Amino acid sequence: MRIQAKAVTVLLLVTFLAPVLTFEATAKTTTCSQKQKSAVKKHITKQISAMAESDWKAAYGYAAKSFQSSIPIELFAEIIETQYEFLMVNDGYAFGVCKNSKNAYSQIVSVDFEGAKRTLYYELILVGKRMGVVSATEVIEKPGLAV
């Protein structure tokens, strides 16, 4: 199952990053308003809190419907437990830049974990009045390159 989870994660990254890259390249993006920042921060915080409590039903509930329709809750839980453990047992986190384009949002989150910082790039969408996390991708810094 772990090999399958890694294959699905790679597929997810390809599936979800293609629209993200298009979103960044073609859509007019602006800095989030204070109201948007607050909504995005609240949504991500609630999902991370649910993950920290291993409340998979609640954590999964903060995912976008499009994500839920392609990834079952059991696989979601396994991916978080095996690849995003730092979210479950973090030492705190901070919110960086928030950008928006119509009903799509991107948010940088810096997570403290075991004395190091892990940076995540979140993509969220708003459909009607429902916000959902589409993806959370770890940003790996290469020496000499700024994120």
Side-chain angles (χ1 to χ4, degrees):
M1 186 66 157
R2 287 183 189 223
I3 292 172
Q4 181 184 8
K6 288 183 181 186
V8 170
T9 301
V10 170
L11 178 61
L12 281 174
L13 290 176
V14 171
T15 302
F16 289 118
L17 281 182
V20 169
L21 295 175
T22 303
F23 162 76
E24 289 293 333
T26 61
K28 180 182 176 195
T29 59
T30 59
T31 301
C32 295
S33 68
Q34 196 58 45
K35 184 177 178 180
Q36 291 166 331
K37 284 180 191 177
S38 179
V40 168
K41 181 178 180 179
K42 182 178 179 181
H43 195 83
I44 292 171
T45 297
K46 285 183 176 185
Q47 186 180 50
I48 292 173
S49 294
M51 289 174 185
E53 296 171 11
S54 296
D55 184 348
W56 300 116
K57 185 176 179 182
Y60 190 70
Y62 291 102
K65 291 291 185 191
S66 58
F67 179 89
Q68 293 176 356
S69 68
S70 59
I71 303 297
I73 191 170
E74 299 81 11
L75 183 56
F76 169 77
E78 183 177 338
I79 291 169
I80 301 305
E81 289 176 325
T82 59
Q83 298 176 35
Y84 292 87
E85 178 188 22
F86 61 92
L87 283 174
M88 298 174 62
V89 291
N90 70 77
D91 299 316
Y93 48 92
F95 291 82
V97 176
C98 178
K99 297 280 187 176
N100 77 316
S101 177
K102 293 191 180 187
N103 291 329
Y105 302 90
S106 63
Q107 174 69 59
I108 298 293
V109 179
S110 178
V111 181
D112 295 322
F113 176 69
E114 297 181 349
K117 294 224 182 269
R118 309 282 290 264
T119 303
L120 290 172
Y121 180 82
Y122 275 84
E123 285 290 328
L124 302 92
I125 56 170
L126 183 64
V127 177
K129 293 184 178 185
R130 186 186 188 284
M131 184 172 284
V133 175
V134 176
S135 67
T137 307
E138 186 169 11
V139 178
I140 307 295
E141 292 186 45
K142 296 193 179 201
L145 296 177
V147 177

